[in-house]
Amino acid sequence: MNLLRNIPPIHELLNDNKIAAEIEQHNISYEEAKQSLQDSVQSVRNEIRNGEFLNSSLEDLFNSIIERAVKQIEQHKIHNLQPVINGTGTILHTNLGRARLASQAIDHVVNSASYYSTLEYDVTTGKRGSRHDLVERYITNLTGAESAMVVNNNAAAVYMVLSCFAKNYEAIVSRGELVEIGGSFRVSSIMEESGTTLKEIGTTNKTHLFDYEQAIHSETKMIMKVHTSNFYMSGFTSSVDREELASLAQRHNLIYYEDLGSGLLYNLSDQGITDEPVVKDVIAKGVDLVSFSVDKLLGGPQAGIIAGKKEYIDALKKHQLARVLRVDKMTYAALEETLRLALTNQVDQIPTLRDILKDSNTIRNEVMVFLEGTKDLDPLTLEPIEMKSKVGGGTLPEVELDSFGIKVRCRVRTTEELTKQLRTCPIPIIVRVENDSVMVDFRTLERHEQDEIRKALQELNNRLK
Ligand SMILES: *Cc1c(COP(=O)(O)O)cnc(C)c1O
């Protein structure tokens, strides 16, 4: 306990040369330096109480405090939002930012953000324009819808559609579709929040047309279908076809709306990946409104698209929530270019689609070339391994893509220590752990990221030697 009393006061620590040099070098404020030292003293105190530093001198203690504070001060130069390398094999990793953008989309963002732009300006007339016009034509061309608009994300789209058309009334949803996505989006909660009464019908595995018919009464405004994107039900199940629901809604003067979740724009059935229908097919069945995410299978920035009949989209555009949920020029820029790539058949330029479609032989070759260039490591060992990638982001849950990667082992470190080491690389490398092994799936790795991993592994190997 003597040690605890001998920890120097903060003002004394602040005068240390190393700290002074850090303050100078990183241009940090006195307050920040003080905070770092306080945090550092606190962590050393805790360790002393846990029986550490027992045989340490006062000088050791002092150095330890300074060292930790310096480390924390150096962290100030690193952004909180920093790039990472996704070696998990999950293409749309929600925690890692879902879709990464096409380089053309990034260029368009940078350009639109550096200059003033025509966000709400018509250069032909010199008058005010509407941001809704920026991407509507692309979306209607791609989906066959009469009209479309963009909001903050698909959760916002659901909220807005319900608020605008079913507030204080009822919307009918099958119990089999009352999904929760990523723990924070629950269809039933969003409905409640929007002021819409949820009319649940059917059972978890079966809902029939007569369930819908029986639920309709004077307070009903909408029939809603929710895509069960993040789980896959097989076996004794049945749901009602969208044509039947669309025509039922029409007969009763109701709106038929589908929350499609990921919103597939390109047919992936030819590649044998999924037979999920594309948005165009859904619209063609007579659905009044659909909504879907932009940063899932479309491979764009975070946003949500609402598409469908013009009279409904016009009402949505005029609603006060359109202002609340609108997106920024950088989102429009990224979205416009992503949609343009899709319309001009340059889907291979969109990283999400490129990675979904990458064939396992190509990935295997990349792994072999990588291993050829990363030989003779010890204590680390690398070996090629067959893996299965997931699309992720709550999309296509039944799909497993054949892939390839490396298994990283280390004689002198546990799996947990190894993954931690990889997370502390200059560009943190996030790996997959399966059966207590560290694995890196190459599906989502661009060439420069593979080089980065090679460098990181070589450095790690040298450190552990
Ligand atoms: C992902 C998803 C949402 C939420 O979309 P965000 O763009 O993440 O807000 C809503 N509904 C379904 C069915 C989804 O799959």
Side-chain angles (χ1 to χ4, degrees), residues 163-320:
S163 302
C164 186
F165 300 114
K167 191 174 183 172
N168 301 328
Y169 289 94
E170 280 184 18
I172 303 173
V173 188
S174 156
R175 285 197 177 86
E177 298 167 2
L178 288 170
V179 294
E180 174 172 317
I181 292 140
S184 58
F185 178 87
R186 214 182 246 184
V187 176
S188 53
S189 313
I190 294 261
M191 293 185 93
E192 202 176 297
E193 207 59 52
S194 73
T196 306
T197 303
L198 165 66
K199 180 80 182 170
E200 296 176 39
I201 55 157
T203 59
T204 310
N205 59 333
K206 285 199 168 213
T207 304
H208 305 280
L209 188 62
F210 60 76
D211 291 319
Y212 285 94
E213 272 172 326
Q214 285 169 3
I216 296 172
H217 63 118
S218 60
E219 297 297 295
T220 312
K221 278 276 165 157
M222 181 182 286
I223 295 176
M224 180 178 177
K225 195 177 181 69
V226 184
H227 197 277
T228 51
S229 7
N230 60 347
F231 70 96
Y232 180 66
M233 224 172 9
S234 61
F236 194 60
T237 63
S238 77
S239 56
V240 183
D241 284 345
R242 52 174 57 90
E243 290 109 307
E244 287 184 284
L245 288 181
S247 89
L248 178 69
Q250 199 170 24
R251 284 202 301 280
H252 289 87
N253 239 336
L254 308 174
I255 294 179
Y256 177 46
Y257 162 50
E258 286 200 26
D259 168 10
L260 293 174
S262 24
L264 195 56
L265 289 185
Y266 332 93
N267 203 322
L268 294 177
S269 61
D270 296 345
Q271 288 83 8
I273 293 174
T274 176
D275 48 15
E276 171 138 345
V278 294
V279 178
K280 197 170 204 146
D281 295 344
V282 174
I283 298 271
K285 302 284 188 202
V287 178
D288 294 314
L289 285 172
V290 301
S291 72
F292 50 95
S293 293
V294 170
D295 56 352
K296 290 185 180 172
L297 294 176
L298 211 154
Q302 182 199 297
I305 287 177
I306 310 174
K309 305 240 163 87
K310 185 167 186 304
E311 58 168 309
Y312 299 126
I313 299 290
D314 283 347
L316 287 166
K317 284 177 181 169
K318 287 197 198 99
H319 197 278
Q320 277 304 312

Side-chain angles (χ1 to χ4, degrees), residues 315-422:
L316 287 166
K317 284 177 181 169
K318 287 197 198 99
H319 197 278
Q320 277 304 312
L321 279 174
R323 174 60 183 257
V324 177
L325 303 172
R326 76 182 188 183
V327 303
D328 175 59
K329 58 182 173 293
M330 289 188 278
T331 302
Y332 272 113
L335 176 56
E336 175 173 27
E337 185 55 29
T338 307
L339 292 169
R340 202 188 62 83
L341 290 171
L343 261 178
T344 52
N345 284 322
Q346 299 181 76
V347 164
D348 57 331
Q349 301 290 311
I350 301 173
T352 301
L353 270 295
R354 173 200 66 196
D355 291 347
I356 290 174
L357 296 169
K358 212 186 250 177
D359 95 332
S360 62
N361 277 329
T362 310
I363 306 173
R364 174 204 281 264
N365 285 340
E366 289 181 10
V367 169
M368 292 311 170
V369 170
F370 179 90
L371 289 173
E372 195 57 38
T374 324
K375 277 185 177 162
D376 304 324
L377 295 184
D378 182 66
L380 291 183
T381 43
L382 309 180
E383 61 183 276
I385 182 165
E386 273 182 47
M387 322 182 57
K388 299 273 187 199
S389 318
K390 299 288 283 178
V391 180
T395 67
L396 309 179
E398 75 285 13
V399 173
E400 290 201 314
L401 304 164
D402 288 330
S403 188
F404 237 81
I406 54 169
K407 189 165 167 178
V408 186
R409 272 191 293 217
C410 181
R411 276 195 294 113
V412 294
R413 288 288 184 278
T414 64
T415 298
E416 200 181 318
E417 287 163 341
L418 204 52
T419 56
K420 189 168 173 199
Q421 291 283 342
L422 291 167

